[in-house]
Every structure is written in C-alpha cells, then in structure tokens.
Amino acid sequence: MIYARSLKDIYMEHVGQSEVPKLFHEFCCYSLVAACVGDRIGYRYRPEALTIPAIYVFLVGPSGYGKNESIAEARKFASTLESVSHYEGRISGPALMKEISVVQAKC
C-alpha cells in the first residue's frame, strides 16, 4: 500500500514536539499554503463569476502562548522551499508590488 503524506503531516513533523498549541502550527501551515497559491486557483460557480479563495489567519492568545514561535516555525519551513520567495523588512505597498513583479519576471 502506498501512503501519501499530506503537506500538513510533513509540516507538523518539521515542527516536532512543542509547547505551542497544535492549532497555531496547523493554521500557520494553512497560511503558508494560501501564500504560495495566491490567486492562481479559483472556483467558477457561474460562467461569469470566478471566486478566488482568500485565507487570513489570526493567532489569538495571551502573551507567551506561542504565537511568535509558531510563525517562526512557519518561516523556517518556508525557507527550505526553493519555490518560495522571501522578503524581510518593512516595505510600502507600491514597493512590494514592484518587488513581486521582479520576482515573477525571474520565474
């Protein structure tokens, strides 16, 4: 029997044992998927109407509950993927659009 592991399983294996709530890690994984997929998929429920899913993840919890740790793990996991472009720091909306267009032109 062939067993195909899901991305979530691979991600949770990457995270390993943690004091951070498992749901925080799972939702960070979903956020990575959404960021990678972007607007390249959609669902056409009528010929003239295309719905593009959007996933926004908010980690809510008290101070010291593991929000930053789960985001750091997601960033570490994403850094292992060659197909994911990274940008770190502050940037304006127009500058971000320019950065994205340069990255897409390279692909």
Side-chain angles (χ1 to χ4, degrees):
M1 172 185 263
I2 298 174
Y3 174 70
R5 296 184 327 158
S6 71
L7 176 63
K8 185 183 100 172
D9 293 338
I10 295 168
Y11 181 79
M12 294 307 285
E13 183 179 299
H14 162 81
V15 169
Q17 293 295 331
S18 173
E19 292 181 8
V20 175
K22 182 179 176 183
L23 278 177
F24 280 13
H25 289 303
E26 287 180 6
F27 278 99
C28 282
C29 179
Y30 301 146
S31 178
L32 280 176
V33 170
C36 291
V37 169
D39 63 355
R40 290 184 287 278
I41 64 165
Y43 173 71
R44 191 172 298 281
Y45 61 94
R46 291 191 320 247
E48 71 280 0
L50 176 66
T51 301
I52 297 174
I55 297 176
Y56 298 92
V57 174
F58 298 91
L59 301 178
V60 180
S63 179
Y65 205 59
K67 299 179 292 291
N68 286 337
E69 290 85 353
S70 58
I71 293 168
E73 284 296 333
R75 291 182 68 183
K76 189 182 338 177
F77 183 78
S79 71
T80 66
L81 306 173
E82 291 180 16
S83 60
V84 176
S85 299
H86 303 275
Y87 181 85
E88 189 167 331
R90 298 180 69 153
I91 190 167
S92 67
L96 177 61
M97 294 305 292
K98 184 177 179 182
E99 178 74 20
I100 290 170
S101 67
V102 169
V103 170
Q104 287 179 345
K106 291 178 185 177
C107 294

